[in-house]
Amino acid sequence: MANPSKARGTAWESAVRDHLNEALGLVDETGRLKEIFSALNVRRAAQEGVRDVGDVHCPPFVLECKDVKSPAVPTWLRQAHVEAFHAGYPYGVVVHKLRRANVRLGRVHFGVRTWTRVRVAMGLTTAQMRERYAFAPAVRGIDSTRWYLTTDVARFAQLVADLRTAL
């Protein structure tokens, strides 16, 4: 791949996909998918240009994966919501790589509305959701569209498993 930034992004997307498939028990001991045609498998999506459908599909989430030094989380969350809509998924989140850290420690950012919708779908209180998945809020000014909640990839995998059970 000629573009080093694209290569880094592709490597991050693949690392997230592989970690989530393993954490959700969707692969065997060799790392191969147990059921190759299962709709629950975590997959990297094909690029679709103007109607982009996100980087990784982890039903019921579309993940917008970012491997950059300077975060722009509110902008990325808007992008993730649009891409989730294009893909026909109910939730869009951002997965931001933490430099020189294991994929499990990557940051998963939820917009407030998405976080609330997931919490309600799981039947959890705000306190239960924050404690169970170690969410930390980020409040930027008085514009709530710039607020978001963050957990790590390892806890996000548990959240996905719990949400799939609840649905």
Side-chain angles (χ1 to χ4, degrees):
M1 198 174 285
N3 183 341
S5 294
K6 182 144 178 69
R8 256 194 348 264
T10 298
W12 176 237
E13 292 166 13
S14 297
V16 168
R17 176 205 58 207
D18 294 346
H19 174 76
L20 290 173
N21 274 324
E22 183 178 341
L24 293 169
L26 301 172
V27 294
D28 61 21
E29 60 281 347
T30 66
R32 289 199 164 96
L33 291 170
K34 290 179 180 176
E35 297 180 38
I36 194 162
F37 297 112
S38 172
L40 297 178
N41 291 338
V42 181
R43 300 185 186 276
R44 285 189 59 234
Q47 296 294 323
E48 303 216 9
V50 176
R51 294 192 59 84
D52 195 357
V53 294
D55 297 325
V56 176
H57 291 180
C58 178
F61 292 92
V62 165
L63 312 180
E64 183 62 28
C65 297
K66 298 294 185 181
D67 180 4
V68 296
K69 188 188 287 186
S70 301
V73 177
T75 302
W76 297 341
L77 284 169
R78 285 191 296 277
Q79 180 183 2
H81 294 300
V82 168
E83 292 173 357
F85 175 77
H86 288 166
Y89 282 63
Y91 311 116
V93 299
V94 174
V95 184
H96 183 209
K97 182 175 181 174
L98 210 59
R99 296 282 176 215
R100 294 178 292 283
N102 185 288
V103 66
R104 297 172 41 84
L105 300 175
R107 298 292 178 234
V108 182
H109 306 290
F110 282 64
V112 173
R113 286 185 180 139
T114 299
W115 186 84
T116 302
R117 288 174 46 230
V118 170
R119 179 184 62 76
V120 169
M122 295 176 75
L124 298 175
T125 67
T126 299
Q128 290 170 325
M129 181 80 158
R130 283 185 66 188
E131 291 167 14
R132 187 172 296 174
Y133 305 107
F135 276 99
V139 178
R140 306 277 192 257
I142 60 171
D143 179 5
S144 64
T145 63
R146 297 180 52 80
W147 300 355
Y148 55 90
L149 293 103
T150 303
T151 189
D152 59 37
V153 174
R155 288 186 179 98
F156 175 71
Q158 185 59 53
L159 184 150
V160 170
D162 294 347
L163 180 58
R164 288 177 174 182
T165 301
L167 297 178

